[in-house]
Structures are given as structure tokens and as C-alpha cells.
Amino acid sequence: MPIFQVVILAIVQGLAELLPVSSSAHVVVAEKLLGLDPSSPQMTLVLVMLHTGTMFAVIAYFWNQWKKSYFATADAFKRVLIRIVWATLLTGIIGEVIIKIIEKTAFKGAPKAEIELLFGRLDLVAPALAAAGVIILIAGLLEKRKMAEIVDHSADLRAGATVTMRQAGWIGAVQGLCLPFRGFSRSGATISAGMLVGATKERAERFSFALAVVLTPPVVARELLRLLKATHEATAAGTPIDLHGTLVSALLGAVFAFFAGLVALKWLSSWLESGRWYLFGIYCLVASCVVFYLHTIGY
């Protein structure tokens, strides 16, 4: 893959990943416009490495907040760790069940059944974007009606301040629903889910991105194994894959995505604080229409 394509995808991923607008949908569209195959093992690995870049951006941006709320005391760390484990467990169970159901129904009788083969389908990305937009819009509009609610930011960052077990469970469950679908914004859906079950935006945001840090390594490992398997099969068939070039492109993309992610996080937090969350929902609905139009004209 040419370097300029890696840079374009990294910037798109970095800017969109940490905003609740589905980075995967934006990257898939960018890949389509660049003539790339979003479902190929090389491209799915590049995508998750871009996620890795933004994961480090999340750590860099939220570290001071996490220290004040999650790592201030041993009890605070234990409390948030239990919630992260609980949410991640629900994510894994729900996500894996949905993935297996889709693979056994959508690919019935096919020699290869991998959820990644659907990632380039814009006709599936568009409704996923719309679904995320509706959830974000509902959460944003309900939040705007709570005019009497005053969020004390200093109190919200006190030692141990985090979501409840119930809120963590809902956030983890919704994250599991997001895993199989490109376009169903993980951050948008999970933060909105937290807001809808009573968490403040700030707590839902911090917890959602903490879950992203935990989720990213196993996803990277999954796609790396998929690429290694595809490389072995391609070599046996006499059409070897440039594994070294793919890894170099993926690592370079992660670096660019890191810096773009920092910019996006700064913007996201300012929008959260200004009470304009619902506008991200409107954006997702408009983007859904654009993606569906691209599908109708042949992308």
C-alpha cells in the first residue's frame, strides 16, 4: 500500500475513532474510494493497528483523569477493575454469540465464514450508522431536557468515582452489539447507553474509553492471526502476501492515528461539556444517507 494511502486512512481513523461517528464506517468508505478491499486480511490488520494508535491516544489523554478517579486508592482501583471485567465479559459473550450466528447464517455452505468478509458492505454499514445515530440522538435530547442537573466536575473526578455495576453492564452489553458491525459506533453507542441508564456524560466517557483500551489488544491479536493464516494459504497457492510491507504500513498508520486521535479527543470532550451530544446523532444519520448513496452508485 502506498504511504499516502496509509496516511489518509490514519488521519480518517484518528479523527473519527474517538468521536461517536464510527471510525470504521469512515475508514471503509475511504478504502472504497481509494480502491482498496476493506475485508482483506491486510486491510483489517491495518485497521486494528490504527485502533492501536488511537488506544495510546486515549491513554495519554485520559491518564490524569484516570489517576484521580480510578488509581487514587487501592479501593478505587478495585472498584473500577470489577466493573471493567464485568463489562468486558458481557462484551465478549454477546459479541462472540452474534458473530457466530452471523457467520453460520450469512455464510451457510460457504467454504470460508468470517465476519470480516462483511466489513466492506456499504449496504450494511449504512443502517448500522443510522442505528448509532438514533441512540446518540435520543441520549442527547433526553440530556438536554435535564436542565436542572448540575454536574460537579471536581466531585466527578473524586477517588473511585465511576459508573455503577448496572451501568457498566449496559455499557459492556452495548459494546458487544457493536463488535460485528462496521458503522455501529462503539464510543457513540456505549457513552449514550451509559447516559440513558443514568451515568453522567463524563463518567460514561471515561469508562467507555477505558473499555476500549482493554478491548483493543485481543482484537489486534485476532486480526494478526487471520493475516498469518491468509499468508500461509496464499503462499501455498503460489500468490504470497507481502507480510513485511503490511506490518510496516500498519505500524506507520498507528503513529499517525495516535496524533490525529489526540486532536479528536480534545474536540470530543469540549462537545460533551457543551451539551451538544445530540449533534453527533444527526451527523450519523446524514452520514448513513451518504453511505447508502455511495452503495447505490456502485461502491
Side-chain angles (χ1 to χ4, degrees):
M1 187 191 309
I3 297 299
F4 83 91
Q5 291 184 336
V6 176
V7 173
I8 290 173
L9 295 180
I11 293 174
V12 171
Q13 166 72 20
L15 292 177
E17 164 65 13
L18 303 168
L19 299 175
V21 295
S22 179
S23 65
S24 56
H26 287 72
V27 172
V28 165
V29 170
E31 289 170 344
K32 288 276 191 177
L33 294 175
L34 291 171
L36 302 170
D37 179 10
S39 64
S40 70
Q42 299 96 312
M43 290 311 306
T44 53
L45 178 64
V46 168
L47 178 59
V48 297
M49 286 304 294
L50 297 181
H51 278 278
T52 302
T54 49
M55 177 191 74
F56 283 107
V58 165
I59 294 173
Y61 186 85
F62 280 101
W63 183 247
N64 286 333
Q65 294 184 28
W66 288 345
K67 281 198 300 183
K68 294 177 182 178
S69 57
Y70 296 163
F71 300 105
T73 65
D75 184 64
F77 177 73
K78 179 181 177 181
R79 187 156 50 241
V80 73
L81 181 62
I82 290 172
R83 285 157 175 75
I84 287 176
V85 171
W86 167 234
T88 303
L89 180 64
L90 288 177
T91 294
I93 294 173
I94 293 174
E96 189 64 20
V97 168
I98 295 175
I99 288 173
K100 292 303 181 185
I101 291 175
I102 293 175
E103 289 179 343
K104 290 184 180 299
T105 55
F107 301 103
K108 190 175 183 179
K112 180 181 290 187
E114 294 179 325
I115 191 68
E116 287 87 354
L117 297 177
L118 299 178
F119 286 174
R121 294 270 303 272
L122 296 188
D123 57 328
L124 299 178
V125 172
L129 263 173
V134 169
I135 294 174
I136 294 170
L137 194 59
I138 292 173
L141 292 177
L142 288 178
E143 186 231 356
K144 282 183 69 67
R145 293 180 182 179
K146 297 178 182 179
M147 301 302 294
E149 178 185 356
I150 300 176
V151 178
D152 184 346
H153 293 276
S154 60
D156 194 50
L157 285 174
R158 70 184 183 275
T162 186
V163 296
T164 65
M165 285 292 288
R166 172 175 168 270
Q167 292 164 352
W170 276 107
I171 291 172
V174 169
Q175 181 171 254
L177 293 176
C178 297
L179 286 183
F181 305 108
R182 289 294 180 261
F184 198 176
S185 171
R186 191 209 67 84
S187 61
T190 53
I191 295 173
S192 295
M195 292 166 61
L196 288 173
V197 293
T200 65
K201 287 181 297 186
E202 290 73 18
R203 290 187 186 185
E205 177 194 17
R206 285 201 305 274
F207 189 76
S208 172
F209 286 123
L211 288 183
V213 172
V214 174
L215 181 64
T216 299
V219 173
V220 171
R222 172 189 170 96
E223 295 307 328
L224 183 58
L225 289 174
R226 181 170 180 256
L227 176 61
L228 292 174
K229 179 182 177 182
T231 301
H232 177 73
E233 293 173 350
T235 301
T239 55
I241 292 175
D242 181 8
L243 181 60
H244 178 266
T246 299
L247 293 175
V248 170
S249 296
L251 290 172
L252 179 63
V255 173
F256 281 100
F258 169 78
F259 291 106
L262 287 178
V263 174
L265 269 170
K266 182 67 176 178
W267 187 27
L268 171 60
S269 292
S270 66
W271 274 58
L272 280 171
E273 293 165 3
S274 62
R276 292 178 288 185
W277 183 252
Y278 70 98
L279 292 179
F280 288 120
I282 295 175
Y283 176 88
C284 285
L285 293 175
V286 173
S288 172
C289 295
V290 173
V291 171
F292 185 74
Y293 171 73
L294 290 174
H295 168 68
T296 61
I297 63 175
Y299 283 99

